[in-house]
Amino acid sequence: MIRTTFFATALCLFAPVLHAEVVGKVGVDWFGNDIIIESINDPKVQGVTCHLAYFERGIIDRLQQGNWFEDPSNSSIACTQTGPITMGDIKRGKGGEEVFRESQSIILKSIRVTRVYDEKAQTLIYLAHGSEVSKGSAKTSISAIPLYQAK
């Protein structure tokens, strides 16, 4: 019991602060698998909201398939202007800046949202991608917001 409590506390201390709100949960089968939809406000760009959808395995699927502590890192993203856009101090390099991260396993896998600024096209690009410690992931989805009159 003490080890479990210590482990849970340690995970909470090192977990990133999440800026997401679950706005939808769609059941996809009788195994309890769901698609979760979260709303994410960009903390450095006011007026932009992204919606991230990802798969969450149910308990029956976990028992049947194994990998008890993992969800697939598949995701989809759509971002939209939800008010006047005001850009804060964002990273403008080609590598972009992580906006959001959510774990899909205890340690090794997560879904991330990275913002990339295309200065020439005056566009913010939001990339949802899986990240694994042991190998990369080709599972990606993007959404773009034009900055016609952003401050």
Side-chain angles (χ1 to χ4, degrees):
M1 178 71 173
I2 293 173
R3 284 185 181 176
T4 305
T5 304
F6 174 76
F7 184 66
T9 303
L11 280 177
C12 290
L13 290 174
F14 294 108
V17 176
L18 301 178
H19 304 285
E21 176 186 353
V22 174
V23 295
K25 184 174 183 178
V26 179
V28 295
D29 59 27
W30 62 277
F31 290 113
N33 296 318
D34 296 316
I35 295 175
I36 306 299
I37 304 168
E38 293 184 335
S39 175
I40 304 164
N41 293 317
D42 188 326
K44 291 189 178 180
V45 181
Q46 291 179 356
V48 172
T49 301
C50 295
H51 290 92
L52 181 70
Y54 59 89
F55 189 80
E56 183 178 72
R57 293 172 55 218
I59 194 160
I60 295 171
D61 187 55
R62 290 176 191 277
L63 289 170
Q64 284 186 329
Q65 303 297 325
N67 293 338
W68 182 260
F69 298 106
E70 285 190 22
D71 281 326
S73 55
N74 302 347
S75 63
S76 178
I77 192 165
C79 300
T80 190
Q81 181 176 353
T82 53
I85 294 177
T86 304
M87 290 193 351
D89 184 24
I90 66 170
K91 290 186 180 177
R92 296 174 182 251
K94 290 187 180 200
E97 180 175 13
E98 187 174 284
V99 174
F100 175 78
R101 176 190 308 190
E102 186 160 83
S103 180
Q104 296 296 297
S105 71
I106 289 182
I107 299 172
L108 302 175
K109 190 189 305 186
S110 64
I111 292 178
R112 297 179 185 192
V113 174
T114 301
R115 176 194 341 94
V116 176
Y117 178 53
D118 180 349
E119 191 165 1
K120 185 176 179 182
Q122 288 295 293
T123 302
L124 291 173
I125 302 164
Y126 291 86
L127 168 70
H129 58 101
S131 178
E132 295 184 40
V133 173
S134 60
K135 58 184 174 183
S137 176
K139 299 169 185 171
T140 63
S141 178
I142 66 168
S143 186
I145 304 285
L147 301 173
Y148 299 121
Q149 297 174 356
K151 298 178 185 177

